[in-house]
Amino acid sequence: QVQLIESGGGLVQAGGSLNLSCAASGRTFSVGVWGWFRQPPGKEREFVAATRWNGETTYYADSVKGRFTISRDNSKNTVDLQMSGLKHGETAVYYCAASRVLGAVDDYDYWGQGTQVTVSS
């Protein structure tokens, strides 16, 4: 089992920045990919960013490229998401997730409880 706890959510004005952090514990050696997803109100959960277990390869949704940065700190067992240039439509619950392989939402085995990000216009 892998346990994930997100932190860092909150209220930010459009155009502002916010940093999310995900603390991982348990069998983290089994994780091949760490990811961040978000679920806007009334919508499906969607991919935001992912990184391989060592943080050397990263992937981003087209909508966040150039504005969001995912990073993995193996010494601290954390996965961070730095967000800048936030838009009103990016209000959502943001989730940290872990998987053995890179894939879609349903491929991720472990999920955090989520942290709310609200972007005011």
Side-chain angles (χ1 to χ4, degrees):
Q1 292 288 333
V2 175
Q3 293 79 42
L4 304 170
I5 301 177
E6 303 97 335
S7 62
L11 175 65
V12 63
Q13 287 189 331
S17 301
L18 207 58
N19 295 330
L20 305 182
S21 187
C22 174
S25 60
R27 299 173 62 88
T28 57
F29 58 85
S30 68
V31 175
V33 178
W34 302 91
W36 280 95
F37 292 78
R38 65 189 179 190
Q39 188 163 13
K43 297 184 179 179
E44 297 289 319
R45 194 169 297 188
E46 62 185 23
F47 169 75
V48 175
T51 181
R52 295 285 182 183
W53 66 274
N54 57 6
E56 291 186 353
T57 305
T58 56
Y59 309 87
Y60 295 94
D62 288 342
S63 60
V64 306
K65 281 181 182 176
R67 299 186 297 118
F68 289 16
T69 302
I70 187 171
S71 60
R72 164 71 177 164
D73 188 329
N74 283 322
S75 64
K76 297 180 181 178
N77 241 346
T78 58
V79 183
D80 295 337
L81 184 68
Q82 296 176 299
M83 306 184 293
S84 63
L86 283 161
K87 304 174 182 178
H88 178 61
E90 294 181 310
T91 291
V93 178
Y94 284 69
Y95 296 91
C96 176
S99 172
R100 284 176 295 173
V101 297
L102 183 67
V105 173
D106 292 342
D107 294 317
Y108 281 76
D109 305 297
Y110 304 104
W111 292 86
Q113 83 287 352
T115 185
Q116 177 71 44
V117 172
T118 302
V119 184
S120 63
S121 56

